[in-house]
Amino acid sequence: MAARVLVADDEDRIRQLVRMYLTRENFEVDEAGDGQTALERINGTTYSLIILDLMLPEVDGWTVCQEVRRHSDTPIIMLSARSEEYDRILGLQLGADDYVCKPFSPRELVLRVKSLLRRTPGVTPVRGAVLQAGNLTVDEQCCQARVAGEELRLTPKEYSLLTLMIRRPGQIFSRESLLEQVWGYEFTGGRRTVDSHVKNLREKLGEAGATAQVETVWGFGYRLVTLR
């Protein structure tokens, strides 16, 4: 079944351009011209990925992103003409998986969509082992992370970060290395992007009572350690 993508942007030209490039790659595409319509479509349809403009009328993109994250880990790519670091970091902290500044290359956007979907749990299962650190397990076959048997809800980037680290427990990964191995392309968000995703991953591990945690090694990067 083809992956279904929602494109939420108030500019007809942008929606049509993105739709054209995505349909060429055999994606099914729905559109929304404002935030309220986007929420209605999201509540009524299961999407593989959402492309979300920040400056939507009626309900802005920030709010739509927060609402989605209340009940779903659907990958979100934010679009915005606002390129300041603060806006990028805030978008990632709210739960977005990627942030693309306007004007953008439609071909690059398609590559980012494909990259995210390859890393999305449940979308493209891959053969793999069951990895464990303390009471934390990652089943690569099912693309699921669990703490003491309970499923841990992670975004695609959080899952990819965790999987990379649990494969090599104790190994220190620099921010640059994580950007290269998890994002898989030259990403303009910089090292703060990694910090935001690690922060969110830590919070989820802590709230779930995981006995493994992502530790900061000051001046070097991050590593996964077993606490007890």
Side-chain angles (χ1 to χ4, degrees):
M1 181 181 296
R4 183 177 290 274
V5 177
L6 175 65
V7 180
D9 195 292
D10 63 339
E11 296 186 53
D12 293 342
R13 178 184 58 83
I14 289 181
R15 294 200 310 273
Q16 292 168 8
L17 180 66
V18 174
R19 170 189 280 276
M20 180 179 68
Y21 275 83
L22 287 175
T23 53
R24 283 179 180 174
E25 299 296 327
N26 298 317
F27 289 98
E28 295 183 3
V29 181
D30 289 343
E31 298 180 25
D34 60 76
Q36 185 58 45
T37 301
L39 287 173
E40 291 171 0
R41 292 193 181 282
I42 291 164
N43 289 332
T45 306
T46 299
Y47 289 103
S48 302
L49 183 140
I50 299 168
I51 298 175
L52 181 63
D53 180 31
L54 288 183
M55 307 305 292
L56 289 171
E58 297 193 29
V59 180
D60 63 41
W62 307 112
T63 303
V64 174
C65 183
Q66 286 180 298
E67 288 300 315
V68 171
R69 282 293 171 258
R70 292 183 195 277
H71 56 79
S72 172
D73 296 320
T74 302
I76 296 174
I77 297 178
M78 283 189 167
L79 295 179
S80 179
R82 301 168 62 166
S83 60
E84 291 82 1
E85 182 183 43
Y86 170 80
D87 294 310
R88 295 198 303 270
I89 297 302
L90 178 57
L92 296 169
Q93 288 176 336
L94 291 177
D97 299 284
D98 204 346
Y99 191 107
V100 176
C101 295
K102 298 179 180 179
F104 59 88
S105 161
R107 291 187 180 87
E108 181 182 353
L109 180 61
V110 171
L111 289 176
R112 293 185 184 221
V113 168
K114 290 181 175 180
S115 178
L116 264 179
L117 290 178
R118 282 197 301 269
R119 294 167 170 80
T120 301
V123 173
T124 311
V126 295
R127 296 183 179 276
V130 176
L131 308 168
Q132 184 166 1
N135 65 353
L136 170 67
T137 59
V138 171
D139 187 338
E140 293 186 298
Q141 177 70 41
C142 302
C143 291
Q144 288 183 339
R146 296 181 179 274
V147 174
E150 294 295 321
E151 186 173 357
L152 188 64
R153 289 182 52 184
L154 301 175
T155 67
K157 284 295 187 292
E158 292 163 0
Y159 175 81
S160 296
L161 283 168
L162 179 60
T163 301
L164 179 63
M165 292 185 182
I166 201 171
R167 285 175 183 154
R168 307 170 191 172
Q171 178 176 326
I172 301 172
F173 293 89
S174 67
R175 291 175 176 84
E176 291 80 4
S177 173
L178 292 174
L179 277 170
E180 179 181 348
Q181 295 186 65
V182 172
W183 274 258
Y185 47 78
E186 187 177 355
F187 183 66
T188 58
R191 296 185 300 171
R192 291 285 298 279
T193 299
V194 175
D195 297 339
S196 294
H197 282 81
V198 167
K199 176 178 178 292
N200 292 338
L201 176 59
R202 277 176 173 161
E203 289 177 354
K204 291 182 179 182
L205 290 172
E207 290 170 359
T211 57
Q213 186 55 271
V214 180
E215 178 183 75
T216 300
V217 182
W218 298 108
F220 293 95
Y222 299 105
R223 65 183 175 188
L224 187 74
V225 297
T226 302
L227 303 178
R228 60 181 183 273

